[in-house]
Amino acid sequence: ILGGVCTQIYQRLNNFEKEEVEIHCGFRSDNGAAELFDSICPLHFGINETNVANLVIEYEFDIVVIIDTPEYLIALEKMDKRPIVVLEVHTSIKKNLEYLGNITPDQIDQIITVSEYMIDEIMDMISFPIDRKSIFKMSNIVDTDCYGEGLELIEGKLPLIWVGKIDEHKNWKDFIEIVYLLNNNDLDFEFWIVGGHTCNSETAQEVFDLVEDKGLISKFKWFDKVNHLDMPNLYKTVAMRGGVNIVTSKGESFGMSVLESLLSGCPVVSSNVGAIGEICSNRNYLKLYDFGDTKAASSLVLETMGHKNKKHKKEIKKLVQQYDSKHKSKEYWNLLYSFID
């Protein structure tokens, strides 16, 4: 899996149609971006606060979009004549949002974010007065052609899946606790953690040790890395075997794994945090529990496991209309053009 920001850039670039516009992407380091973008646009790695201005000067960019990197804002502010600067806010981690309290109106021209929840966060943390209406919301998007639910349940052990970075924010320990509570019901299932490559060897060992201590190792599957383009089939397999996607996060600015799962016909049980509740209003398909209440979460998973609800097809159609990248990415590019005109 790749980070949500990278996948959003990929979706936007994949649906960019104006040949007269040249787009470049710059990163501090390559964490899989080179493979994902693969000739879509020129890429620059090793970008930091000391060389970002030189990059902008060399290519004479008209507009620069900076995603949650305040060091770049400071560097560009020092330019004699800087381009239009758009700040995109994607992170939902409070500590990582603290930079909003230090930026100035002179450093940015526009702000874009992904949800109503994140607009609230920006309004709460930014250092200067700002009109809520001046913050533009552009929801995350997805190539819905890659998704779609399977037709019938298929044989195989029922999987409970957890997708994300193995870190404190994504709260993987609660997932194992939920599985432990379900295991006391003598159910025949297995549980999968997807995203192992995002953690170091010590954290990986901590995961396996906890699984072993809980007596769950025989049911456990560890997916170190799954290609982003293979994720739809993974979710679909979970759905067709009657499984559930479990999200235990402490906070989400949007919740891409939730959306991708729902588009694949795979129901989700999630902590009720951040913007997750904004994705889908159908609480039979996206079930929410209070963060940390693993007992309530296990009960919701238990009532969801093994079922295929035909009503979900209607919900999937609504999600396609709302988040399809072919149509929605055009809104993003048109918004950027409006900043220049």
Tab-separated table of all heavy atoms in Angstrom, residues 125-162:
chain	number	residue	atom	x	y	z
A	125	MET	N	-7.164	25.741	14.139
A	125	MET	CA	-5.726	25.765	14.402
A	125	MET	C	-4.947	26.841	13.655
A	125	MET	O	-3.821	27.150	14.020
A	125	MET	CB	-5.121	24.392	14.075
A	125	MET	CG	-5.723	23.258	14.891
A	125	MET	SD	-4.876	21.684	14.682
A	125	MET	CE	-3.383	21.989	15.646
A	126	ILE	N	-5.542	27.424	12.617
A	126	ILE	CA	-4.769	28.372	11.812
A	126	ILE	C	-4.515	29.667	12.587
A	126	ILE	O	-5.311	30.058	13.449
A	126	ILE	CB	-5.477	28.653	10.462
A	126	ILE	CG1	-4.482	29.189	9.436
A	126	ILE	CG2	-6.655	29.600	10.651
A	126	ILE	CD1	-4.952	29.043	8.011
A	127	SER	N	-3.418	30.330	12.275
A	127	SER	CA	-2.926	31.435	13.100
A	127	SER	C	-3.603	32.773	12.816
A	127	SER	O	-3.423	33.718	13.566
A	127	SER	CB	-1.412	31.589	12.889
A	127	SER	OG	-1.140	31.861	11.519
A	128	PHE	N	-4.379	32.861	11.747
A	128	PHE	CA	-4.975	34.153	11.389
A	128	PHE	C	-6.453	33.975	11.056
A	128	PHE	O	-6.886	32.867	10.703
A	128	PHE	CB	-4.241	34.791	10.206
A	128	PHE	CG	-4.080	33.896	9.004
A	128	PHE	CD1	-5.062	33.826	8.024
A	128	PHE	CD2	-2.942	33.110	8.858
A	128	PHE	CE1	-4.922	33.000	6.924
A	128	PHE	CE2	-2.785	32.273	7.763
A	128	PHE	CZ	-3.776	32.221	6.785
A	129	PRO	N	-7.249	35.037	11.180
A	129	PRO	CA	-8.688	34.932	10.883
A	129	PRO	C	-8.907	34.540	9.426
A	129	PRO	O	-8.237	35.056	8.522
A	129	PRO	CB	-9.213	36.351	11.160
A	129	PRO	CG	-8.178	36.984	12.019
A	129	PRO	CD	-6.866	36.395	11.617
A	130	ILE	N	-9.833	33.643	9.208
A	130	ILE	CA	-10.099	33.188	7.846
A	130	ILE	C	-11.574	32.837	7.708
A	130	ILE	O	-12.189	32.292	8.638
A	130	ILE	CB	-9.202	31.968	7.491
A	130	ILE	CG1	-9.347	31.595	6.020
A	130	ILE	CG2	-9.485	30.788	8.392
A	130	ILE	CD1	-8.327	30.570	5.549
A	131	ASP	N	-12.143	33.165	6.579
A	131	ASP	CA	-13.540	32.850	6.300
A	131	ASP	C	-13.650	31.378	5.929
A	131	ASP	O	-12.916	30.895	5.058
A	131	ASP	CB	-14.028	33.730	5.139
A	131	ASP	CG	-15.513	33.548	4.847
A	131	ASP	OD1	-16.139	32.637	5.439
A	131	ASP	OD2	-16.045	34.313	4.021
A	132	ARG	N	-14.543	30.674	6.570
A	132	ARG	CA	-14.703	29.245	6.286
A	132	ARG	C	-14.946	28.996	4.804
A	132	ARG	O	-14.461	28.020	4.230
A	132	ARG	CB	-15.864	28.689	7.116
A	132	ARG	CG	-16.083	27.185	6.943
A	132	ARG	CD	-17.326	26.700	7.673
A	132	ARG	NE	-17.493	25.268	7.484
A	132	ARG	CZ	-16.966	24.354	8.280
A	132	ARG	NH1	-16.247	24.713	9.327
A	132	ARG	NH2	-17.154	23.062	8.044
A	133	LYS	N	-15.684	29.887	4.164
A	133	LYS	CA	-16.018	29.705	2.758
A	133	LYS	C	-14.805	29.838	1.839
A	133	LYS	O	-14.851	29.452	0.674
A	133	LYS	CB	-17.094	30.710	2.335
A	133	LYS	CG	-18.442	30.471	3.008
A	133	LYS	CD	-19.464	31.505	2.562
A	133	LYS	CE	-20.808	31.279	3.246
A	133	LYS	NZ	-21.798	32.311	2.843
A	134	SER	N	-13.717	30.406	2.357
A	134	SER	CA	-12.520	30.567	1.534
A	134	SER	C	-11.642	29.310	1.530
A	134	SER	O	-10.648	29.254	0.811
A	134	SER	CB	-11.702	31.759	2.023
A	134	SER	OG	-11.134	31.499	3.300
A	135	ILE	N	-12.005	28.316	2.330
A	135	ILE	CA	-11.301	27.031	2.324
A	135	ILE	C	-12.055	26.089	1.391
A	135	ILE	O	-13.251	25.835	1.595
A	135	ILE	CB	-11.214	26.425	3.739
A	135	ILE	CG1	-10.521	27.399	4.695
A	135	ILE	CG2	-10.457	25.098	3.704
A	135	ILE	CD1	-10.524	26.944	6.142
A	136	PHE	N	-11.383	25.590	0.382
A	136	PHE	CA	-12.043	24.772	-0.633
A	136	PHE	C	-11.971	23.290	-0.248
A	136	PHE	O	-10.906	22.779	0.112
A	136	PHE	CB	-11.389	24.982	-1.996
A	136	PHE	CG	-11.543	26.378	-2.520
A	136	PHE	CD1	-10.597	27.354	-2.230
A	136	PHE	CD2	-12.645	26.723	-3.286
A	136	PHE	CE1	-10.733	28.654	-2.702
A	136	PHE	CE2	-12.794	28.024	-3.767
A	136	PHE	CZ	-11.831	28.988	-3.477
A	137	LYS	N	-13.115	22.622	-0.342
A	137	LYS	CA	-13.155	21.179	-0.066
A	137	LYS	C	-13.135	20.398	-1.368
A	137	LYS	O	-13.976	20.601	-2.247
A	137	LYS	CB	-14.410	20.796	0.725
A	137	LYS	CG	-14.399	19.326	1.158
A	137	LYS	CD	-15.677	18.924	1.872
A	137	LYS	CE	-16.736	18.475	0.885
A	137	LYS	NZ	-17.904	17.828	1.530
A	138	MET	N	-12.144	19.531	-1.507
A	138	MET	CA	-12.050	18.602	-2.627
A	138	MET	C	-11.904	17.195	-2.039
A	138	MET	O	-10.824	16.827	-1.565
A	138	MET	CB	-10.845	18.928	-3.510
A	138	MET	CG	-11.056	20.113	-4.412
A	138	MET	SD	-12.112	19.667	-5.814
A	138	MET	CE	-12.828	21.278	-6.198
A	139	SER	N	-12.989	16.455	-2.035
A	139	SER	CA	-12.951	15.113	-1.455
A	139	SER	C	-11.960	14.233	-2.208
A	139	SER	O	-11.683	14.454	-3.392
A	139	SER	CB	-14.341	14.469	-1.515
A	139	SER	OG	-15.270	15.197	-0.738
A	140	ASN	N	-11.438	13.246	-1.526
A	140	ASN	CA	-10.598	12.266	-2.197
A	140	ASN	C	-11.397	11.550	-3.274
A	140	ASN	O	-12.630	11.462	-3.204
A	140	ASN	CB	-10.058	11.252	-1.194
A	140	ASN	CG	-8.905	11.808	-0.378
A	140	ASN	OD1	-8.429	12.906	-0.633
A	140	ASN	ND2	-8.445	11.051	0.593
A	141	ILE	N	-10.685	11.035	-4.267
A	141	ILE	CA	-11.326	10.379	-5.405
A	141	ILE	C	-10.696	9.011	-5.638
A	141	ILE	O	-9.615	8.709	-5.120
A	141	ILE	CB	-11.208	11.234	-6.678
A	141	ILE	CG1	-9.729	11.590	-6.950
A	141	ILE	CG2	-12.071	12.480	-6.562
A	141	ILE	CD1	-9.495	12.357	-8.232
A	142	VAL	N	-11.364	8.205	-6.445
A	142	VAL	CA	-10.875	6.859	-6.702
A	142	VAL	C	-11.329	6.426	-8.096
A	142	VAL	O	-12.368	6.879	-8.588
A	142	VAL	CB	-11.401	5.886	-5.615
A	142	VAL	CG1	-12.908	5.735	-5.693
A	142	VAL	CG2	-10.719	4.534	-5.701
A	143	ASP	N	-10.521	5.584	-8.729
A	143	ASP	CA	-10.894	5.034	-10.032
A	143	ASP	C	-11.928	3.942	-9.800
A	143	ASP	O	-11.596	2.795	-9.528
A	143	ASP	CB	-9.661	4.466	-10.734
A	143	ASP	CG	-9.985	3.921	-12.123
A	143	ASP	OD1	-11.165	3.994	-12.536
A	143	ASP	OD2	-9.063	3.410	-12.790
A	144	THR	N	-13.190	4.309	-9.901
A	144	THR	CA	-14.258	3.370	-9.559
A	144	THR	C	-14.368	2.224	-10.554
A	144	THR	O	-14.994	1.195	-10.246
A	144	THR	CB	-15.611	4.101	-9.471
A	144	THR	OG1	-15.885	4.753	-10.708
A	144	THR	CG2	-15.586	5.138	-8.353
A	145	ASP	N	-13.770	2.351	-11.740
A	145	ASP	CA	-13.786	1.250	-12.699
A	145	ASP	C	-13.031	0.033	-12.169
A	145	ASP	O	-13.265	-1.101	-12.605
A	145	ASP	CB	-13.156	1.677	-14.028
A	145	ASP	CG	-14.039	2.640	-14.805
A	145	ASP	OD1	-15.245	2.726	-14.474
A	145	ASP	OD2	-13.534	3.309	-15.715
A	146	CYS	N	-12.107	0.262	-11.249
A	146	CYS	CA	-11.313	-0.836	-10.682
A	146	CYS	C	-12.076	-1.597	-9.609
A	146	CYS	O	-11.645	-2.672	-9.179
A	146	CYS	CB	-10.016	-0.297	-10.073
A	146	CYS	SG	-8.894	0.442	-11.268
A	147	TYR	N	-13.200	-1.038	-9.187
A	147	TYR	CA	-13.920	-1.625	-8.061
A	147	TYR	C	-15.230	-2.262	-8.535
A	147	TYR	O	-15.421	-2.512	-9.704
A	147	TYR	CB	-14.160	-0.560	-6.986
A	147	TYR	CG	-12.872	-0.110	-6.339
A	147	TYR	CD1	-12.096	0.884	-6.923
A	147	TYR	CD2	-12.406	-0.713	-5.183
A	147	TYR	CE1	-10.897	1.281	-6.359
A	147	TYR	CE2	-11.211	-0.334	-4.608
A	147	TYR	CZ	-10.461	0.668	-5.196
A	147	TYR	OH	-9.268	1.054	-4.642
A	148	GLY	N	-16.105	-2.524	-7.638
A	148	GLY	CA	-17.346	-3.227	-7.948
A	148	GLY	C	-17.406	-4.515	-7.166
A	148	GLY	O	-16.401	-5.206	-6.992
A	149	GLU	N	-18.579	-4.852	-6.678
A	149	GLU	CA	-18.700	-6.005	-5.790
A	149	GLU	C	-18.789	-7.307	-6.568
A	149	GLU	O	-19.206	-7.351	-7.724
A	149	GLU	CB	-19.932	-5.850	-4.902
A	149	GLU	CG	-21.244	-5.818	-5.672
A	149	GLU	CD	-22.448	-5.835	-4.753
A	149	GLU	OE1	-22.278	-6.053	-3.555
A	149	GLU	OE2	-23.561	-5.658	-5.257
A	150	GLY	N	-18.377	-8.410	-5.917
A	150	GLY	CA	-18.567	-9.739	-6.477
A	150	GLY	C	-20.033	-10.134	-6.408
A	150	GLY	O	-20.812	-9.584	-5.633
A	151	LEU	N	-20.407	-11.095	-7.219
A	151	LEU	CA	-21.827	-11.442	-7.325
A	151	LEU	C	-22.337	-12.304	-6.176
A	151	LEU	O	-23.449	-12.132	-5.698
A	151	LEU	CB	-22.082	-12.154	-8.664
A	151	LEU	CG	-21.805	-11.307	-9.910
A	151	LEU	CD1	-22.042	-12.154	-11.160
A	151	LEU	CD2	-22.686	-10.079	-9.933
A	152	GLU	N	-21.536	-13.249	-5.726
A	152	GLU	CA	-22.006	-14.201	-4.721
A	152	GLU	C	-20.940	-14.425	-3.658
A	152	GLU	O	-19.760	-14.120	-3.847
A	152	GLU	CB	-22.346	-15.547	-5.388
A	152	GLU	CG	-23.407	-15.477	-6.485
A	152	GLU	CD	-24.779	-15.137	-5.965
A	152	GLU	OE1	-25.004	-15.299	-4.749
A	152	GLU	OE2	-25.627	-14.705	-6.767
A	153	LEU	N	-21.371	-15.001	-2.529
A	153	LEU	CA	-20.410	-15.442	-1.525
A	153	LEU	C	-19.637	-16.636	-2.072
A	153	LEU	O	-20.183	-17.464	-2.804
A	153	LEU	CB	-21.139	-15.841	-0.237
A	153	LEU	CG	-21.741	-14.702	0.588
A	153	LEU	CD1	-22.593	-15.266	1.717
A	153	LEU	CD2	-20.653	-13.811	1.156
A	154	ILE	N	-18.364	-16.737	-1.748
A	154	ILE	CA	-17.536	-17.848	-2.189
A	154	ILE	C	-16.958	-18.557	-0.977
A	154	ILE	O	-16.923	-18.023	0.129
A	154	ILE	CB	-16.393	-17.374	-3.115
A	154	ILE	CG1	-15.498	-16.359	-2.387
A	154	ILE	CG2	-16.946	-16.761	-4.386
A	154	ILE	CD1	-14.283	-15.935	-3.190
A	155	GLU	N	-16.510	-19.784	-1.185
A	155	GLU	CA	-15.981	-20.581	-0.087
A	155	GLU	C	-14.597	-20.084	0.325
A	155	GLU	O	-13.868	-19.479	-0.443
A	155	GLU	CB	-15.916	-22.049	-0.492
A	155	GLU	CG	-17.283	-22.696	-0.642
A	155	GLU	CD	-17.174	-24.195	-0.875
A	155	GLU	OE1	-16.039	-24.711	-0.832
A	155	GLU	OE2	-18.204	-24.831	-1.090
A	156	GLY	N	-14.254	-20.404	1.546
A	156	GLY	CA	-12.973	-19.977	2.098
A	156	GLY	C	-13.206	-19.401	3.479
A	156	GLY	O	-14.305	-18.914	3.790
A	157	LYS	N	-12.211	-19.453	4.323
A	157	LYS	CA	-12.371	-18.907	5.667
A	157	LYS	C	-12.709	-17.422	5.596
A	157	LYS	O	-12.149	-16.676	4.803
A	157	LYS	CB	-11.090	-19.112	6.470
A	157	LYS	CG	-10.924	-20.522	7.004
A	157	LYS	CD	-9.851	-20.580	8.066
A	157	LYS	CE	-9.791	-21.967	8.674
A	157	LYS	NZ	-8.791	-22.053	9.764
A	158	LEU	N	-13.612	-17.026	6.450
A	158	LEU	CA	-14.063	-15.642	6.479
A	158	LEU	C	-12.926	-14.756	6.987
A	158	LEU	O	-12.391	-14.980	8.069
A	158	LEU	CB	-15.283	-15.547	7.395
A	158	LEU	CG	-16.011	-14.219	7.499
A	158	LEU	CD1	-17.472	-14.465	7.829
A	158	LEU	CD2	-15.393	-13.332	8.555
A	159	PRO	N	-12.538	-13.726	6.198
A	159	PRO	CA	-11.426	-12.869	6.628
A	159	PRO	C	-11.893	-11.554	7.267
A	159	PRO	O	-12.825	-10.912	6.796
A	159	PRO	CB	-10.688	-12.592	5.312
A	159	PRO	CG	-11.741	-12.713	4.247
A	159	PRO	CD	-12.898	-13.490	4.795
A	160	LEU	N	-11.223	-11.178	8.328
A	160	LEU	CA	-11.346	-9.842	8.899
A	160	LEU	C	-10.075	-9.105	8.526
A	160	LEU	O	-8.975	-9.568	8.820
A	160	LEU	CB	-11.508	-9.910	10.415
A	160	LEU	CG	-12.681	-10.761	10.920
A	160	LEU	CD1	-12.680	-10.822	12.438
A	160	LEU	CD2	-14.009	-10.225	10.399
A	161	ILE	N	-10.213	-7.959	7.877
A	161	ILE	CA	-9.049	-7.297	7.303
A	161	ILE	C	-8.819	-5.938	7.970
A	161	ILE	O	-9.770	-5.244	8.356
A	161	ILE	CB	-9.229	-7.134	5.772
A	161	ILE	CG1	-7.952	-6.610	5.109
A	161	ILE	CG2	-10.419	-6.263	5.454
A	161	ILE	CD1	-8.019	-6.586	3.593
A	162	TRP	N	-7.557	-5.598	8.111
A	162	TRP	CA	-7.139	-4.290	8.638
A	162	TRP	C	-6.065	-3.763	7.701
A	162	TRP	O	-5.085	-4.451	7.420
A	162	TRP	CB	-6.606	-4.451	10.054
A	162	TRP	CG	-6.253	-3.189	10.792
A	162	TRP	CD1	-7.034	-2.517	11.679
A	162	TRP	CD2	-5.011	-2.469	10.749
A	162	TRP	NE1	-6.364	-1.422	12.181
A	162	TRP	CE2	-5.108	-1.373	11.620
A	162	TRP	CE3	-3.817	-2.651	10.048
A	162	TRP	CZ2	-4.079	-0.462	11.818
A	162	TRP	CZ3	-2.783	-1.736	10.229
A	162	TRP	CH2	-2.918	-0.658	11.111
